[in-house]
Amino acid sequence: MRLSARPIAALVAALALTAGLSITGTPAVARPDDRAAAAEASDVSIAADTYTWKNARIDGGGFVPGIVFSRSEKNLAYARTDIGGAYRWDQAGKRWTPLLDWVDWDRWGWSGVVSLASDTAEPDNVYAAVGTYTNSWDPTNGAVLRSSDRGASWKAATLPFKLGGNMPGRGMGERLAVDPNKNSVLYLGAPSGNGLWRSADSGVTWSEVTAFPNPGNYAQDPSDTSGYGNDNQGIVWVTFDERSGSAGSATQDIYVGVADKENTVYRSTDGGSTWSRIAGQPTGYLAHKGVLDSSTGHLYLTLSDTGGPYDGAKGRIWRYDTESGAWTDVSPVAEADTYYGFGGISVDRQKPGTLMATAYSSWWPDTQIFRSTDSGATWTQAWDYSSYPNRSNRYTLDVSSVPWLSWGANPTPPETAPKLGWMTESLEIDPFDSDRMMYGTGATVYGTENLTSWDSGGTFTITPMVKGLEETAVNDLASPPSGAPLLSALGDIGGFRHTDLDAVPAMMFTSPNLDSTTSLDFAEASPGTVVRAGNADAAPHIGFSTDNGANWFQGSEPSGVTGGGTVAAAADGSGFVWSPEGAGVHHTTGYGTSWNASTGIPAGATVESDRKNPKKFYGFSAGTFYVSTDGGATFTAKATGLPAEGNVRFKALPGTEGDIWLAGGAPTGAYGLWRSTDSGASFTRLSGVEQADSVGFGKAASGAPYQTVYVSAKIGGVRGIFRSTDAGAGWTRINDDAHQWAWTGAAITGDPRVYGRVYVSTNGRGIQVGESSDTDGPGTDPGPGTDPGTDPGEPPADADCSVAYTVTNRWSGGFQAEVKLTNTGTAAYDGWKLGWTFPGDQRIGQIWNASHQQTGAKVTVTDAGWNGKVAPGSSAAFGFTGTTTGDGTAPGAFTLGGEACAVG
């Protein structure tokens, strides 16, 4: 199962924007210049309704190809994903903290992380090589991001080529490495024949190592003309022998892995000046990893006959003695007995000669993990056959914290549920703790904290260590007026019914199990009736529920169906319209026991239902809107002149017949937001919306006559998530630069029961849930506020304000804080300046959603323009990273315009 995704091909044209590529050396979180246009747009309300954001918990859901432990600080670890960014381990909370949520729409490819590197000399430094595709699917070049505060803020060096975090071979690595002796030196292995690259200034600038002789030649599928399967996988890992250097002097012995089956390992013995192929190395395989045990001088290679991470039919493990130059095949099984390649490998830094490796492509009956305590001379396995097909496991696997990992399966032995894993390309033993080990799979991060029980003959316990790491790709969302607050359609793991947004659901949708759910809908007047459609290896591609998605049964399908397409439920649940892949639009009454072809609408059209009239359905294709008034039997073409390019999504307003909002298009043609109030006979474009990609509705604001409208859009020159409480007359941006999540165009919906709550799709960062601090909601735009002649630093009416200051993260020498300023008065702020005095020697480093000045311990923070107006009862928020030699104690007092604010 492929547990990753990309924006579909049609989307790429809509995302092919080039703004903002030259940000080398610029703080990647703040980017204030990009946001100035918001203050100039008259149709954008800049009342700062502060939102808090979190994930609807699923825990995992995608491929984790890399885990990196710091070699110099205990409990500091990072994980990379192929499409969902990078994370830092929070030991206190036993969870992962996302580090790349700031990645914006224009550079969505930077959410794919091809490699991570932690600086051994300076543990605050971390680097990420980012870029999702090396072909035209990704509109931007790759970059190396650098952080001096453990990923709290970043600067970027854009590269002259693309990187492939979601390309074939992405489980190999790490391609990015910091010299452990001279940490200003970094190396990066590039794909696509671009060779080996080096930085001598801590990642600020990069140049090709022209002396390196081999850029690689292996491609997964040379016959593929898309640029995906036929891309040269290039330079795949870099490893330093730390013994060949000293502090401040560059390491001399460097090993590099190349995607070339005859020449897969090269070495430099003069700090990278010259390179040569190591004689006697194994051939016929690709070295997925190269890990050096500095205590023994052994370099270990895990090899496969392909680049992975799915395929691989043969594999070996070889050991190279760096002192004698001898190569030894130390594979745990005979070559003839392998039906998989070897991927993940790690050495125990506390116990020389102890190492572990994975059979990453052993899909059936399970993956295998191997362990040796004698430098590979002998091995034991995580499981063996006791008497076939029965297994004897050295481990127990407890997935009670993420129960869906069993997939609801009950397989026949020797297969088990849940599985030990698949796509296990990363496995790392904690360098400070021999008992802790983590490994990534195609769906989660597993780990143990009693690993050495393996050696004593006992069993060790494996559990998901994935909390906080959310990597699903979201295709559709629905929030019914009763029942569960959220239903989701997800890539690779189907989708979930969330009855509690803060709890992991027990199971994904089953009966049928769909690899990816492409569309779902519920009957507006009968929310217990739910339908979903999606992709699967075989029929059926559709399922129905009569209890709000708690239980499902399979539907039948028309002949020729190859994929899910889109599906819609009649307002009362009496019938359904389905536009699957591979077959034309069809309709049915009841629950799909038989389907009849619809007429008057082209195959592949997107379909939706009217949310009041059960006989009325809508369709859209290639710039034309279609309407059916007979339950989907016949459609008639209505409005034309709508976007003919790009992705188009539309929704009908709940409870009102014929009120339709349509979002979509492409930069090369029509692109924006349209509304129809006559059931699609005509549409009017909302002039203030430059671009829009998804639209949804939620509970109306207090006193507002129209339901709240949410869009993922570009308004006033700003890309973001916007809300309107007055039917699109005015818009408020509700996310911020620290919460952008790359691409958010697939789906958005408000909650019909909770004002201000919105659910936002991402392509790799799961379902984002936004909660408004304004629980009642403004009925109208709060207006201009104070007299324009008033000094914006002076608040109205005796500084009616409250400040909440929260330190969200601490590390040695630094911290991160969030500040929320609330207007407790009766008049709006028209610009604000917040002041305080730091205890001790604290200094602000990077700040976002505001600007600041600091003199000694005194700080003045000024609004960012777009969040300067703060309505009564509303809030503005900003965040920053800082440095300190102390513990980052919070200030005890705050002033607005010289007057004291309440604290708390």
Side-chain angles (χ1 to χ4, degrees):
M1 183 177 294
R2 179 174 182 175
L3 290 160
S4 57
R6 67 176 179 90
I8 58 176
L11 164 69
V12 174
L15 295 183
L17 307 176
T18 58
L21 294 183
S22 57
I23 70 159
T24 301
T26 301
V29 175
R31 302 182 63 228
D33 293 342
D34 290 351
R35 303 306 172 211
E40 301 171 5
S42 60
D43 58 343
V44 180
S45 167
I46 54 174
D49 180 14
T50 303
Y51 262 66
T52 57
W53 294 93
K54 64 181 180 181
N55 277 101
R57 278 191 67 189
I58 294 169
D59 286 16
F63 181 34
V64 181
I67 298 169
V68 175
F69 277 93
S70 169
R71 293 277 304 278
S72 59
E73 183 175 315
K74 188 175 182 179
N75 295 323
L76 179 58
Y78 298 90
R80 64 178 171 96
T81 70
D82 51 4
I83 62 171
Y87 294 81
R88 183 184 62 245
W89 179 250
D90 171 21
Q91 177 65 19
K94 295 293 184 73
R95 60 178 298 140
W96 297 95
T97 299
L99 302 178
L100 298 184
D101 283 357
W102 55 266
V103 172
D104 59 23
W105 179 279
D106 293 352
R107 291 170 299 196
W108 60 262
W110 288 9
S111 61
V113 184
V114 72
S115 190
L116 281 173
S118 179
D119 187 339
T120 300
E122 297 286 345
D124 286 348
N125 295 342
V126 63
Y127 300 85
V130 297
T132 301
Y133 299 102
T134 60
N135 61 5
S136 61
W137 295 345
D138 193 332
T140 60
N141 281 352
V144 176
L145 308 179
R146 61 190 187 277
S147 173
S148 58
D149 52 17
R150 306 180 184 221
S153 63
W154 298 86
K155 296 181 180 180
T158 305
L159 299 167
F161 50 83
K162 297 182 179 184
L163 294 176
N166 199 34
M167 294 292 288
R170 59 191 179 275
M172 296 192 282
E174 294 292 319
R175 298 172 186 254
L176 181 65
V178 184
D179 190 322
N181 291 302
K182 189 174 183 179
N183 65 342
S184 60
V185 174
L186 291 87
Y187 283 87
L188 170 67
S192 311
N194 288 305
L196 181 67
W197 287 66
R198 182 178 187 267
S199 173
D201 54 10
S202 300
V204 177
T205 60
W206 292 82
S207 59
E208 185 175 2
V209 180
T210 56
F212 194 81
N214 187 354
N217 61 18
Y218 175 80
Q220 181 191 65
D221 180 7
S223 67
D224 179 12
T225 60
S226 70
Y228 185 74
N230 62 338
D231 185 56
N232 176 3
Q233 294 181 17
I235 312 298
V236 297
W237 52 263
V238 179
T239 295
F240 292 92
D241 187 344
E242 62 202 62
R243 303 169 303 165
S244 62
S246 58
S249 300
T251 300
Q252 297 300 294
D253 292 355
I254 311 168
Y255 297 86
V256 170
V258 180
D260 178 343
K261 289 188 177 182
E262 301 307 310
N263 310 280
T264 197
V265 189
Y266 287 77
R267 177 178 59 184
S268 174
T269 57
D270 54 12
S273 296
T274 61
W275 300 84
S276 60
R277 177 188 186 275
I278 303 180
Q281 66 182 264
T283 59
Y285 289 97
L286 302 175
H288 278 222
K289 310 278 185 182
V291 175
L292 195 144
D293 187 342
S294 58
S295 297
T296 62
H298 291 149
L299 174 71
Y300 295 96
L301 306 182
T302 48
L303 300 119
S304 174
D305 58 346
T306 71
Y310 316 111
D311 51 0
K314 290 293 178 183
R316 311 304 294 146
I317 301 176
W318 280 72
R319 185 184 71 209
Y320 177 66
D321 189 322
T322 59
E323 299 299 325
S324 68
W327 286 95
T328 306
D329 184 342
V330 294
S331 303
V333 295
E335 184 176 34
D337 293 334
T338 62
Y339 54 93
Y340 45 77
F342 291 97
I345 188 167
S346 182
V347 298
D348 188 336
R349 304 291 176 181
Q350 300 294 317
K351 296 183 176 182
T354 294
L355 65 152
M356 297 178 71
T358 67
Y360 77 90
S361 56
S362 179
W363 295 81
W364 187 94
D366 207 343
T367 199
Q368 185 62 274
I369 300 176
F370 303 90
R371 182 172 172 90
S372 173
T373 57
D374 53 12
S375 299
T378 60
W379 297 83
T380 51
Q381 301 182 165
W383 60 270
D384 293 281
Y385 288 113
S386 51
S387 59
Y388 187 87
N390 298 313
R391 284 167 47 169
S392 173
N393 298 334
R394 295 180 184 271
Y395 64 90
T396 59
L397 180 54
D398 178 4
V399 298
S400 57
S401 63
V402 190
W404 60 262
L405 284 167
S406 73
W407 250 257
N410 186 25
T412 301
E415 196 171 7
T416 63
K419 284 191 172 187
L420 190 59
W422 60 91
M423 293 169 63
T424 50
E425 285 267 40
S426 60
L427 179 149
E428 293 295 328
I429 303 169
D430 186 334
F432 293 92
D433 183 355
S434 297
D435 267 320
R436 180 159 68 174
M437 175 269 289
M438 295 182 185
Y439 67 97
T441 79
T444 193
V445 176
Y446 279 130
T448 181
E449 293 183 327
N450 66 327
L451 177 61
T452 57
S453 295
W454 182 318
D455 302 327
S456 61
T459 58
F460 62 100
T461 301
I462 297 175
T463 60
M465 291 185 177
V466 74
K467 184 178 180 181
L469 195 157
E470 298 283 351
E471 202 198 345
T472 49
V474 184
N475 295 324
D476 203 359
L477 296 168
S479 183
S482 61
L486 179 64
L487 306 173
S488 59
L490 305 179
D492 299 319
I493 58 173
F496 292 91
R497 178 179 189 260
H498 268 91
T499 57
D500 182 346
L501 301 173
D502 297 313
V504 178
M507 193 56 57
M508 70 276 287
F509 299 141
T510 59
S511 300
N513 285 76
L514 300 174
D515 295 346
S516 294
T517 300
T518 56
S519 177
L520 60 81
D521 195 16
F522 63 90
E524 190 67 42
S526 180
T529 300
V530 188
V531 61
R532 60 185 168 94
N535 301 330
D537 292 336
H541 294 83
I542 193 166
F544 298 91
S545 173
T546 58
D547 57 6
N548 192 240
N551 297 280
W552 295 84
F553 55 92
Q554 300 175 355
S556 66
E557 61 185 45
S559 61
V561 172
T562 59
T566 56
V567 67
D572 62 356
S574 59
F576 304 88
V577 172
W578 186 18
S579 178
E581 295 179 17
V585 178
H586 284 69
H587 67 100
T588 186
T589 55
Y591 294 101
T593 54
S594 64
W595 293 89
N596 296 300
S598 303
T599 60
I601 185 170
T606 300
V607 296
E608 296 282 356
S609 64
D610 190 85
R611 310 309 286 181
K612 186 174 184 180
N613 185 339
K615 292 295 184 182
K616 191 171 285 188
F617 288 84
Y618 305 113
F620 176 86
S621 179
T624 299
F625 200 81
Y626 298 84
V627 180
S628 172
T629 58
D630 57 6
T634 61
F635 282 82
T636 302
K638 294 291 186 179
T640 58
L642 297 167
E645 301 177 73
N647 291 299
V648 174
R649 297 166 177 83
F650 66 93
K651 292 290 184 183
L653 186 74
T656 302
E657 183 173 351
D659 193 342
I660 305 158
W661 294 64
L662 182 145
T668 54
Y671 198 176
L673 183 65
W674 287 259
R675 183 186 176 194
S676 173
T677 56
D678 55 11
S679 297
S682 63
F683 279 84
T684 300
R685 181 170 181 170
L686 278 75
S687 60
V689 181
E690 298 153 56
Q691 299 175 358
D693 291 86
S694 58
V695 60
F697 310 100
K699 184 179 180 179
S702 177
Y706 199 83
Q707 293 176 46
T708 303
V709 184
Y710 298 93
V711 290
S712 174
K714 184 177 183 180
I715 301 175
V718 179
R719 255 291 171 187
I721 307 301
F722 292 86
R723 183 189 73 192
S724 177
T725 59
D726 52 13
W731 296 94
T732 298
R733 187 188 182 206
I734 58 175
N735 71 320
D736 54 49
D737 287 359
H739 300 89
Q740 300 191 76
W741 317 292
W743 187 73
T744 56
I748 191 170
T749 185
D751 192 309
R753 289 170 274 185
V754 181
Y755 169 74
R757 180 183 290 170
V758 62
Y759 306 103
V760 179
S761 70
T762 73
N763 189 58
R765 272 289 287 124
I767 304 165
Q768 297 294 329
V769 182
E771 301 278 8
S772 173
S773 63
D774 184 359
T775 56
D776 293 325
T780 59
D781 188 298
T786 59
D787 182 352
T790 303
D791 181 347
E794 290 293 333
D798 299 323
D800 294 318
C801 52
S802 175
V803 176
Y805 182 105
T806 305
V807 177
T808 58
N809 197 7
R810 287 187 174 92
W811 56 89
S812 177
F815 66 100
Q816 181 174 340
E818 293 181 357
V819 183
K820 179 179 177 181
L821 168 65
T822 300
N823 184 347
T824 59
T826 59
Y829 302 163
D830 190 6
W832 48 265
K833 290 184 180 179
L834 185 67
W836 70 78
T837 299
F838 271 131
D841 63 350
Q842 301 176 55
R843 292 198 65 83
I844 292 178
Q846 304 291 339
I847 192 168
W848 49 94
N849 299 329
S851 60
H852 81 288
Q853 292 182 334
Q854 182 170 354
T855 303
K858 293 184 178 180
V859 176
T860 301
V861 176
T862 304
D863 65 84
W866 59 267
N867 60 354
K869 287 186 178 180
V870 185
S874 294
S875 303
F878 58 90
F880 63 87
T881 59
T883 59
T884 181
T885 58
D887 59 2
T889 303
F894 300 86
T895 60
L896 194 65
E899 301 289 340
C901 293
V903 180

